[in-house]
Amino acid sequence: MEEYQAMYKASLEDPEKFWGDMAREFYWKTPFEKVGPTYNFDRTKGDVSIRWFEGGATNLSYNCLDRNVEQGFGSKTAIYYECNDLDDGHAAYSYSDVLRMVCKLANALKAEGVQKGDRLSVYLPMIVELPASMLACARIGAVHSVVFGGFSAESLAGRLQDAQSSLVITADAVMRGAKPVQLKAITDKACEIAAKDGFNVQRVVCVARLKDTPRAGQAQHGWVSGRDVWYSDFVAAQAEECECEWMDSEAPLFMLYTSGSTGKPKGVLHTTGGYMLGAFATTKYTFDYHPEDVYFCTADCGWITGHSYVTYGPMLNTATQVLFEGVPTHPDVDRFWKVCEKYKVSIFYTAPTAIRALMKSGDAPVTRNDLSSLRLLGTVGEPINPEAWRWYYRVVGGGHCAIADTYWQTETGSHLITPLVGAMDCKPGSAVLPFFGGPGGGGTVYGDHKRFEETYFSQFNGCYFTGDGCKRDKDGFYWLTGRMDDVINVSGHRIGTAEVESALVAHAKVAEAAVVGFPHDIKGEGIWCYVTLNEGEAYEDSLKADLKKQVREVIGAFAMPDEIHWAPGLPKTRSGKIMRRVLRKLALPDYETQDLGDTSTLADPSVVDVLKSYHPRKK
Ligand code: WTA
């Protein structure tokens, strides 16, 4: 604990030395002149900005790959790839293998005309080409925008357009559990939607994931000649070496879309030097990483966790990790534990929602596997309830593994609050103490710096606002209490209620919608939608399924509403503002006895009774 306190202090009081020494473990083509941070968080004093390692030039792909190979780790396994289906096998890729793959792809992208600063979209499943595509972009200075494979065509189209990304890397299709996900067909549709809006995707590079396998028949997609090319053909003629583009420390590395309380998802833009150190340091210290560890993070690279703790953090630490294509329940509910046993995983990092879901199947699926290699467990994405924490600790960790509950966000790029498990005792449900004060943190919203300033720097002058509520106990431990804005966290997926509302309103029969979160046993939060139909439309149960489908098509399956609650009227103030506080309470299991607070300012207080009379929970 004393060592943590000393390091924490040093990180804040002497960043030149603390972060400077750490940064010098990496290769800089041009050494930085100043560690920093040089920043302004006060909007009244000019543009909000933050700069780390000014004057330096480096490359993430170099530091994740070449540097490891040069230091003699070329034959060390970087990635164990575990397929969705047991009969589909597995593969191991060494650091040299990944470097060759990345160089070939980087050369192919250059041959295609992709230049430093261009944005490129990646819509892939969890196969090795996904981290490789990210690293190939980083190598040539192209900005990657990874779109989670669960997003719909419409969501993908919006992201392609916003990023002005004329090249997409995707796959024919992939099996997720027993079901195929038609990535190529969805990409085709996204390109059509974007084209209608005047944006043309020029090139679709398609990985043959199911083609030439026994499941080839599951992939159903078209082919646009001149635009589409198979990945293997795309890279075939390319050399296995590719010079890096040396990137200014503050040059953009990637953008990743995330939901806020208003409007369309924002492309959070991360830059090179600060992100690199943030991902490196947190992987090393939070997970107490040692060279002999086998690390397994179950997050998809489509989310920030997969960026920082699959692609970048582990490789910057020369780690050996498992990349898992499938789902925790296929072919059986013990798949995670089978994978842990098979690769002798020592560090395992997952989300509370997965723990809660697996907990339902009892202890046997866990304990029938040999998990003695596990040493450290991590969680991320949402608050973990003490009951799930204890089960994770006792059953998965066998009572001998520490748990790191890591609190952070897409915007921060790496852990903000997390225990350093060797140094401090944890309390179930608390993310404990701040990580060292240091680099990382998105520098802007792509194409909209004003929105960046307004979203994050307007609530508290001179401070960044995360959007989360929190308590601090007498020991200084932090307890995250959830979002304070209109963002909900469904199975660790961040969803803006406004996005779901606009998906619902896009339905021809819907006049208005208001969406709130409610506590859900497994998902953490569920999605509760109040829907007002157009004049003359009938409130029929059969329409509810349609509306759910609508949201699925506009956003993606993970945003499917749990409940549609007919609302012939919504509780509004006389100025027309929806009283969300009332709607949140009405979605609770004990809605009948909830104190709704002062409803006298409602334009029509009787709507509350009407909502109760239609209540979906009513027996
Ligand atoms: C929530 C995921 C409590 C929080 C890394 C945050 C958490 C949002 C935790 C970011 C945690 C994440 N305890 N809440 N350990 N981790 N959150 O951008 O509300 O997808 O603001 O990044 O998830 O979600 P995002």
Side-chain angles (χ1 to χ4, degrees):
M1 189 64 171
E2 272 163 29
E3 199 182 330
Y4 157 76
Q5 277 159 347
M7 286 177 85
Y8 179 67
K9 208 164 160 243
S11 71
L12 292 174
E13 289 175 4
D14 193 3
E16 279 299 320
K17 171 143 181 60
F18 188 90
W19 293 108
D21 285 352
M22 207 182 293
R24 278 182 284 270
E25 289 179 35
F26 292 99
Y27 180 76
W28 294 80
K29 182 70 175 178
T30 314
F32 45 89
E33 286 151 18
K34 188 177 170 195
V35 170
T38 309
Y39 71 100
N40 172 41
F41 280 4
D42 185 345
R43 293 162 83 216
T44 62
K45 296 192 178 133
D47 285 354
V48 171
S49 67
I50 179 151
R51 295 193 294 281
W52 280 92
F53 308 109
E54 272 180 285
T58 186
N59 185 291
L60 266 286
S61 172
Y62 189 90
N63 283 316
C64 286
L65 301 170
D66 309 55
R67 175 176 159 270
N68 291 328
V69 172
E70 276 158 26
Q71 292 184 350
F73 299 106
S75 58
K76 182 171 179 177
T77 300
I79 292 174
Y80 288 119
Y81 163 51
E82 171 79 9
C83 294
N84 175 72
D85 288 285
L86 293 171
D87 63 4
D88 207 12
H90 53 130
Y93 298 83
S94 68
Y95 273 94
S96 300
D97 293 336
V98 180
L99 175 59
R100 272 193 297 274
M101 236 178 124
V102 166
C103 286
K104 282 178 81 90
L105 178 56
N107 283 325
L109 293 171
K110 281 207 286 196
E112 184 70 24
V114 176
Q115 290 180 356
K116 193 168 165 170
D118 287 351
R119 279 85 43 217
L120 210 145
S121 297
V122 181
Y123 186 64
L124 283 173
M126 284 294 277
I127 55 180
V128 70
E129 286 83 355
L130 177 44
S133 296
M134 296 162 77
L135 291 164
C137 288
R139 196 164 191 91
I140 62 173
V143 179
H144 58 74
S145 163
V146 182
V147 180
F148 171 59
F151 276 111
S152 66
E154 221 165 291
S155 293
L156 176 59
R159 285 156 174 75
L160 292 174
Q161 269 171 278
D162 184 75
Q164 298 281 298
S165 161
S166 58
L167 189 149
V168 191
I169 304 176
T170 188
D172 50 356
V174 69
M175 300 304 294
R176 293 267 302 159
K179 281 190 264 170
V181 181
Q182 304 293 348
L183 296 162
K184 173 66 166 66
I186 296 170
T187 303
D188 290 345
K189 197 165 162 213
C191 292
E192 277 169 35
I193 297 170
K196 275 196 205 125
D197 254 358
F199 181 73
N200 286 307
V201 171
Q202 307 292 335
R203 183 61 93 199
V204 175
V205 180
C206 185
V207 177
R209 172 61 191 89
L210 295 188
K211 186 172 171 260
D212 305 326
T213 76
R215 290 182 177 81
Q218 299 272 12
Q220 279 154 14
H221 58 83
W223 199 256
V224 177
S225 77
R227 186 196 70 184
D228 299 352
V229 56
W230 289 106
Y231 181 98
S232 54
D233 296 334
F234 189 63
V235 302
Q238 301 300 331
E240 292 179 345
E241 283 108 47
C242 172
E243 206 24 63
C244 290
E245 203 49 73
W246 297 104
M247 304 303 289
D248 187 275
S249 181
E250 282 303 331
L253 172 66
F254 69 83
M255 54 200 287
L256 183 60
Y257 287 87
T258 192
S259 299
S261 46
T262 54
K264 284 193 298 183
K266 311 177 274 290
V268 173
L269 192 79
H270 280 277
T271 57
T272 303
Y275 177 81
M276 178 167 84
L277 264 292
F280 166 73
T282 47
T283 304
K284 178 175 160 133
Y285 289 103
T286 301
F287 300 123
D288 182 30
Y289 173 76
H290 286 82
E292 63 281 6
D293 278 316
V294 177
Y295 168 97
F296 177 21
C297 167
T298 67
D300 193 289
C301 287
W303 307 109
I304 191 67
T305 306
H307 281 61
S308 303
Y309 302 107
V310 175
T311 302
Y312 292 111
M315 295 209 188
L316 288 167
N317 278 283
T318 329
T320 295
Q321 69 174 316
V322 179
L323 185 84
F324 178 42
E325 181 187 58
V327 296
T329 50
H330 180 83
D332 207 345
V333 290
D334 70 347
R335 188 63 187 280
F336 276 172
W337 324 124
K338 266 207 158 59
V339 172
C340 288
E341 174 178 305
K342 178 171 173 185
Y343 300 101
K344 299 200 166 41
V345 169
S346 54
I347 303 171
F348 178 72
Y349 191 30
T350 197
T353 188
I355 299 166
R356 285 191 298 264
L358 297 173
M359 204 167 110
K360 293 239 151 167
S361 312
D363 301 2
V366 187
T367 53
R368 68 174 175 242
N369 294 283
D370 176 6
L371 297 183
S372 57
S373 57
L374 286 176
R375 174 171 84 68
L376 193 150
L377 305 173
T379 74
V380 56
E382 46 176 326
I384 180 163
N385 48 313
E387 196 195 357
W389 194 100
R390 289 198 188 89
W391 185 82
Y392 197 31
Y393 180 79
R394 180 176 58 81
V395 182
V396 178
H400 64 85
C401 300
I403 298 183
D405 176 354
T406 62
Y407 165 73
W408 58 296
Q409 329 177 278
T410 303
E411 292 85 344
T412 68
S414 51
H415 303 154
L416 280 189
I417 302 181
T418 174
L420 298 188
V421 293
M424 45 194 83
D425 288 334
C426 297
K427 300 178 194 177
S430 167
V432 184
L433 291 170
F435 189 74
F436 309 136
T444 194
V445 166
Y446 179 73
D448 200 348
H449 194 66
K450 212 171 156 55
R451 186 167 174 203
F452 173 74
E453 294 185 339
E454 272 158 19
T455 311
Y456 305 110
F457 296 91
S458 61
Q459 294 82 354
F460 303 98
N461 215 14
C463 292
Y464 167 78
F465 178 53
T466 60
D468 287 300
C470 190
K471 302 182 289 196
R472 188 167 56 191
D473 69 16
K474 61 177 187 342
D475 298 322
F477 280 33
Y478 289 89
W479 300 74
L480 276 303
T481 54
R483 300 287 305 195
M484 300 184 66
D485 51 12
D486 292 317
V487 170
I488 51 182
N489 195 324
V490 181
S491 300
H493 300 324
R494 193 167 146 179
I495 298 169
T497 51
E499 284 170 74
V500 182
E501 286 162 6
S502 86
L504 288 166
V505 174
H507 191 281
K509 293 187 177 170
V510 175
E512 198 171 15
V515 172
V516 298
F518 70 97
H520 188 285
D521 276 0
I522 304 232
K523 301 197 228 178
E525 277 186 286
I527 304 180
W528 191 284
C529 309
Y530 295 92
V531 175
T532 311
L533 298 179
N534 287 324
E535 273 306 313
E537 296 293 351
Y539 287 89
E540 285 164 345
D541 271 357
S542 57
L543 183 58
K544 290 188 175 179
D546 263 17
L547 295 180
K548 290 186 184 180
K549 190 164 151 263
Q550 164 88 11
V551 177
R552 186 196 180 100
E553 278 170 12
V554 176
I555 305 176
F558 63 91
M560 271 258 276
D562 293 277
E563 200 59 70
I564 305 275
H565 187 161
W566 295 135
L570 286 166
K572 289 185 186 168
T573 60
R574 271 178 277 266
S575 59
K577 204 169 169 331
I578 296 175
M579 242 192 227
R580 288 180 174 273
R581 151 178 78 79
V582 170
L583 293 179
R584 271 187 219 110
K585 289 192 171 166
L586 285 178
L588 296 172
D590 51 352
Y591 70 97
E592 275 172 306
T593 53
Q594 281 291 324
D595 174 9
L596 300 180
D598 181 10
T599 50
S600 63
T601 55
L602 285 178
D604 175 9
S606 74
V607 295
V608 172
D609 295 323
V610 177
L611 285 173
K612 284 186 176 172
S613 72
Y614 276 87
H615 207 285
R617 294 193 200 267
K618 204 167 175 158
K619 309 217 172 53

